Amino acid sequence: MSSGQLQQAVSTRFEVLPLNDTAALVDHLPAGTTVTVTASPRRGLEPTLELSGRLQSAGYRAVPHIAARSVSSTGHLVDVLDQLTAHRISEVFVVGGDSTAPAGPFPDALSLLRAAEELGRLPERIGITGYPEPHALIPDDSTVQAMAQKSRYAHYIVSQMCFSAETITNWVTAVRQRGIQLPIYLGMPGVVDMRKLMRIALRIGLGESTRYLRKQHGILSKLVNRYSADDLLAQLYPFANDPANGIAGWHFFTFNEVARTADWFQEFTTRHGEVSA
């Protein structure tokens, strides 16, 4: 498929960090846009829930990340679910979280989902994480098994940040071969300065991104010089727009470069011929 024939995937999501100025940063996005809000092991879930509530009230579709390891008890889980109800938030993205030790009885996303089910309080729509590359803390066999177990609760999967189109497409193919047919959002960095990415990751304790950058020898300087969001998106577009692959759309890790990422994506789709899916 030539670049002129590329078609837009179903939908686009923008992931943001719950910092003090984040609500102002998303003003660039049209009402109704899906904005997901990360959870930090250092700051806990409260900033995530508070910002999600503000975004939902402002007309966005807010999707808070609920990190299982940050939930200290069943009572805390009930409080989190109550806050979701109060904010009229019906969708969550459930992750294990990057805390070294769980704050309570939920060491992973699966245990939290089971607890919510026992409470009769499963959210209306649930997303879970997929790992195109090996997780820094969890063996591959465990992530594969966990996805299969979590998939009964989930409505979609979001792939973790990855800089290789080949790695992403091979992973999607493997997921489908294992019989998991949930829609997948392809996760990729937006238009982000890599040095800023590293600074924010270290400040907020965003473990997966930080671990990825740290474990690669010289990767930061290489990415600064070589990584191109345009190239990665162009490589993934034909795959994303093949219905056989079950791709729901794009999940951009903006690291709060929301306006730059949104403008870049709009310009990209204009150049390549945006077509409604």
Side-chain angles (χ1 to χ4, degrees):
M1 182 181 292
S2 69
S3 62
Q5 296 173 304
L6 295 179
Q7 296 181 354
Q8 185 175 357
V10 174
S11 63
T12 307
R13 301 152 59 92
F14 297 86
E15 180 177 302
V16 299
L17 307 170
L19 304 177
N20 293 335
D21 60 348
T22 302
L25 296 176
V26 303
D27 283 350
H28 195 79
L29 302 175
T33 302
T34 298
V35 181
T36 80
V37 184
T38 65
S40 164
R42 294 182 185 175
R43 304 179 68 197
L45 292 178
E46 198 56 39
T48 298
L49 296 170
E50 191 273 335
L51 176 59
S52 296
R54 290 168 62 192
L55 294 176
Q56 187 77 11
S57 297
Y60 300 100
R61 182 174 182 85
V63 181
H65 294 211
I66 306 302
R69 289 183 166 223
S70 294
V71 179
S72 60
S73 65
T74 301
H76 186 196
L77 174 58
V78 170
D79 178 64
V80 168
L81 296 170
D82 286 345
Q83 289 188 61
L84 296 176
T85 299
H87 292 310
R88 298 184 179 180
I89 292 172
S90 59
E91 180 177 346
V92 297
F93 186 54
V94 181
V95 299
D98 290 311
S99 299
T100 304
F106 309 114
D108 49 39
L110 180 61
S111 59
L112 186 137
L113 288 167
R114 285 171 171 164
E117 181 181 43
E118 291 173 3
L119 292 168
R121 298 284 303 275
L122 282 172
E124 184 177 316
R125 186 168 164 80
I126 297 169
I128 58 174
T129 305
Y131 297 95
E133 296 181 302
H135 191 285
L137 299 178
I138 307 172
D140 282 355
D141 289 348
S142 297
T143 61
V144 169
Q145 181 180 12
M147 179 182 288
Q149 293 173 319
K150 290 184 295 186
S151 63
R152 66 177 291 263
Y153 297 100
H155 299 86
Y156 62 88
I157 299 166
V158 175
S159 66
Q160 256 293 0
M161 185 169 62
C162 180
F163 298 91
S164 165
E166 182 180 8
T167 298
I168 293 169
T169 56
N170 287 344
W171 169 77
V172 172
T173 300
V175 169
R176 299 309 184 210
Q177 290 173 345
R178 295 199 299 268
I180 297 174
Q181 299 302 321
L182 291 171
I184 295 175
Y185 286 89
L186 299 182
M188 63 170 286
V191 183
V192 183
D193 179 273
M194 289 298 160
R195 292 184 177 87
K196 178 179 180 180
L197 184 155
M198 191 62 166
R199 289 197 304 270
I200 292 177
L202 289 169
R203 176 155 59 98
I204 199 170
L206 195 62
E208 188 63 22
S209 301
T210 308
R211 286 194 298 268
Y212 176 82
L213 293 172
R214 277 177 169 167
K215 72 183 179 181
Q216 305 296 327
H217 297 293
I219 189 91
L220 187 57
S221 60
K222 291 178 183 178
L223 287 174
V224 169
N225 295 322
R226 294 171 53 191
Y227 170 66
S228 165
D230 258 31
D231 289 348
L232 181 57
L233 188 57
Q235 291 175 58
L236 288 171
Y237 245 57
F239 184 85
N241 286 282
D242 182 346
N245 296 319
I247 304 304
W250 307 99
H251 182 103
F252 290 117
F253 299 90
T254 72
F255 293 92
N256 287 15
E257 293 283 1
V258 181
R260 288 182 65 198
T261 297
D263 286 347
W264 157 75
F265 183 67
Q266 180 60 50
E267 193 272 337
F268 182 96
T269 56
T270 299
R271 277 191 288 118
H272 291 285
E274 180 176 346
V275 179
S276 298

